[in-house]
Amino acid sequence: MSASASPTVPLSILDLAPIGPGETPAQSYSNSVALAQTAERHGYGRVWYAEHHNMPTIASSATSVLIAHVAAHTSTIRLGAGGIMLPNHSPLTIAEQFGTLETLHPGRIDLGLGRAPGGDRAIFNALRRDPGASEQFPRDVMELQGYLTGESIVTGVSATPTPESAPPLFILGSSLFGAQLAAALGLPYAFASHFAPDALHEAVSLYRRDFKPSAQLEHPYVLAAANVFAADTAADATVQFEAARRRRVRGMIARNQAGVEYTDAQIDEFLTTAAGANLANMMRYTAVGTASEVSQFLGDFAQTAQADELIVAHGALSIADRLRSVELAAPTE
């Protein structure tokens, strides 16, 4: 890897805990352990897992449990939620879970928070939650923060265990709302540009402009997300990217057309349509190529996104290709 092309900001990983073609959830968890161990060896700062529900190809629904499992099989790398969808939970429950994680693995746990449900209205009903809970997100964040720091804003209620040092909170978002909230609360802001790129630059500018220092953070701190397909040859990386993109498009189409199967050629033809172009745009910030090509892309992306850190999702369908991508795109050798 060319040193001149390397990103000048820290690199971290968003592990989507995919259940690949022909794989079981148990294999997915083994893959996540292997990925975190590889990331730890190669100098990545953290690995995050996102809460999803009712998605048969994603195994991170019980996010805090997965974090605990991976933490037990690694030593130094930070692990966390990127993120917990707070409207799905009571703040006290999440404080107890992450207070436990931080107590078991001190100094290694992050807690990223989002206000999306991680599913549709049926998910809210199944979780026994009210869709209107999203409107309480700012207060819920402050309530959660109070529990974790031992300064509860709820009279007579505290979280046990309260860790000696609270895990840092991050606000996740793909719109201006998250940027405004992170700035107002003085928290780091992580933008989901790996699948929702459109508001990236406006949101980051707003966050940096309006940021107010807090006990957790003195200066604004931005994490921007990108997809990565790094391989030993550019041709191999392109094949991996195209296969992953087709699988994503198939999954989105299947939500409305269950039981309908499309060939690769049909998916590629769909991607040339206006509707297909909109789906393709979701992966606008994607690095595809050799180690030097990916590093150059990420360096340029960090600069244009005004990012203090990049969090990358290695999207190859096979675990062998994902691990190789992690190695090739690593910040250190």
Side-chain angles (χ1 to χ4, degrees):
M1 184 185 298
S2 168
S4 62
S6 299
T8 57
V9 300
L11 275 183
S12 295
I13 291 177
L14 174 64
D15 180 4
L16 297 176
I19 304 172
E23 290 182 346
T24 65
Q27 288 172 310
S28 173
Y29 298 138
S30 294
N31 294 343
S32 286
V33 168
L35 191 147
Q37 291 173 338
T38 302
E40 186 172 74
R41 288 196 303 271
H42 288 274
Y44 289 84
R46 63 185 100 234
V47 181
W48 281 359
Y49 309 92
E51 176 186 351
H52 292 89
H53 298 285
N54 200 31
M55 295 185 181
T57 60
I58 297 178
S60 54
S61 54
T63 314
S64 58
V65 179
L66 179 56
I67 293 168
H69 176 65
V70 177
H73 289 83
T74 51
S75 301
T76 57
I77 195 165
R78 297 191 67 89
L79 300 164
I84 290 293
M85 301 300 107
L86 195 53
N88 294 344
H89 313 275
S90 75
L92 178 60
T93 296
I94 298 305
E96 291 170 341
Q97 290 176 6
F98 279 80
T100 299
L101 286 168
E102 176 64 24
T103 300
L104 290 170
H105 305 282
R108 295 184 58 203
I109 302 301
D110 298 330
L111 178 48
L113 301 169
R115 69 168 183 150
D120 55 18
R121 180 177 288 272
I123 294 300
F124 262 106
N125 292 338
L127 291 169
R128 306 295 191 268
R129 303 294 289 174
D130 179 353
S134 296
E135 303 304 317
Q136 303 173 33
F137 182 64
R139 175 177 171 78
D140 284 350
V141 172
M142 291 185 287
E143 182 179 334
L144 171 58
Q145 188 174 44
Y147 291 136
L148 287 171
T149 57
E151 300 176 356
S152 175
I153 63 173
V154 180
T155 302
V157 179
S158 61
T160 303
T162 301
E164 291 186 11
S165 179
L169 300 185
F170 299 74
I171 299 297
L172 279 57
S174 58
S175 68
L176 301 186
F177 178 89
Q180 292 168 334
L181 180 62
L185 297 181
L187 296 176
Y189 180 51
F191 194 90
S193 37
H194 64 300
F195 76 92
D198 290 343
L200 169 64
H201 298 98
E202 185 179 4
V204 170
S205 294
L206 184 155
Y207 167 73
R208 290 193 175 280
R209 184 194 70 199
D210 294 346
F211 179 84
K212 295 179 173 57
S214 69
Q216 177 179 320
L217 192 64
E218 184 176 353
H219 303 289
Y221 193 88
V222 172
L223 296 89
N227 303 289
V228 168
F229 296 82
D232 290 297
T233 69
D236 283 347
T238 299
V239 168
Q240 293 171 22
F241 165 67
E242 290 176 346
R245 184 172 64 171
R246 289 186 192 113
R247 189 175 196 231
R248 177 179 290 194
V249 171
R250 279 195 181 94
M252 292 179 175
I253 293 174
R255 295 177 190 176
N256 300 317
Q257 300 179 26
V260 179
E261 295 290 336
Y262 293 95
T263 66
D264 287 353
Q266 287 173 319
I267 294 294
D268 291 343
E269 178 67 22
F270 172 72
L271 286 167
T272 67
T273 68
N278 286 334
L279 291 183
N281 179 62
M282 295 174 65
M283 297 182 73
R284 183 195 314 169
Y285 295 123
T286 299
V288 181
T290 62
S292 61
E293 290 169 334
V294 165
S295 189
Q296 183 67 58
F297 178 99
L298 294 178
D300 293 343
F301 175 62
Q303 186 173 29
T304 59
Q306 301 182 70
D308 300 290
E309 180 176 338
L310 297 183
I311 187 158
V312 297
H314 293 272
L317 297 184
S318 83
I319 183 58
D321 288 337
R322 279 203 302 284
L323 294 179
R324 184 59 177 152
S325 184
V326 168
E327 293 171 352
L328 291 171
T332 60
E333 293 296 339

